[in-house]
Amino acid sequence: MGCLFCEIIGGKTPAHFVYEDSTHVAIMDIYPIHRGHTLVIPRIHHEKILDMTTQSVSELFTRVLPIARGVIEATNADGFNIGQNNGRAANQIIPHVHVHVIPRYSQVGVAWPKRSIADEKDLEELAAKIRRCIKSA
């Protein structure tokens, strides 16, 4: 089996897109830590961030800011985490660089809850709402 994110980017596997440009995409995480958990992914496959150039890393994180703002506005979250894992030991499940934007809610606290499969209809509706909230990248 190939890279799941490459399959999504190539249109072979469905996903709920919240952002797309010629070099990056952002999709809803189907195993969200919290509602609104979004992944920002470069179109070019790199397994780890250390495989990327400084310019490529800069371009990736340039996308994170407007996407995070869109996620926070759409979900009314009280805060958010940004995460980027490298290698199996760091809990990188998909070996393609990606940045997690994880909304956080005061009433939930700071614990990392067990992840579950998200509802497809909720993902679709929330993805559309986040798209509307993203100002520009």
Side-chain angles (χ1 to χ4, degrees):
M1 180 172 138
C3 170
L4 176 61
F5 290 162
C6 288
E7 291 176 5
I8 289 170
I9 291 164
K12 296 177 183 166
T13 300
H16 299 277
F17 285 78
V18 301
Y19 176 84
E20 282 190 83
D21 66 25
S22 63
T23 58
H24 296 81
V25 301
I27 62 173
M28 302 300 299
D29 192 315
I30 64 168
Y31 295 102
I33 290 174
H34 286 298
R35 184 173 183 271
H37 185 163
T38 301
L39 307 174
V40 184
I41 309 166
R43 289 183 182 272
I44 295 175
H45 182 93
H46 295 284
E47 184 173 330
K48 297 175 184 158
I49 202 165
L50 295 175
D51 301 332
M52 299 172 69
T53 65
T54 302
Q55 180 65 32
S56 295
V57 173
S58 176
E59 290 172 6
L60 170 61
F61 277 88
T62 297
R63 287 5 182 245
V64 170
L65 183 59
I67 291 164
R69 284 183 177 135
V71 168
I72 298 311
E73 184 178 335
T75 62
N76 293 313
D78 301 305
F80 66 99
N81 292 111
I82 294 173
Q84 203 284 311
N85 305 328
N86 290 274
R88 203 44 128 167
N91 202 32
Q92 182 183 16
I93 297 167
I94 307 296
H96 184 128
V97 170
H98 56 287
V99 176
H100 296 260
V101 176
I102 306 164
R104 303 296 281 189
Y105 304 92
S106 295
Q107 73 274 15
V108 175
V110 295
W112 290 88
K114 184 176 180 180
R115 295 168 78 164
S116 60
I117 297 175
D119 177 75
E120 284 290 320
K121 185 173 179 6
D122 185 50
L123 286 175
E124 182 179 337
E125 291 171 358
L126 189 55
K129 188 173 182 180
I130 293 170
R131 279 193 299 273
R132 290 189 299 272
C133 291
I134 294 173
K135 305 300 185 226
S136 65

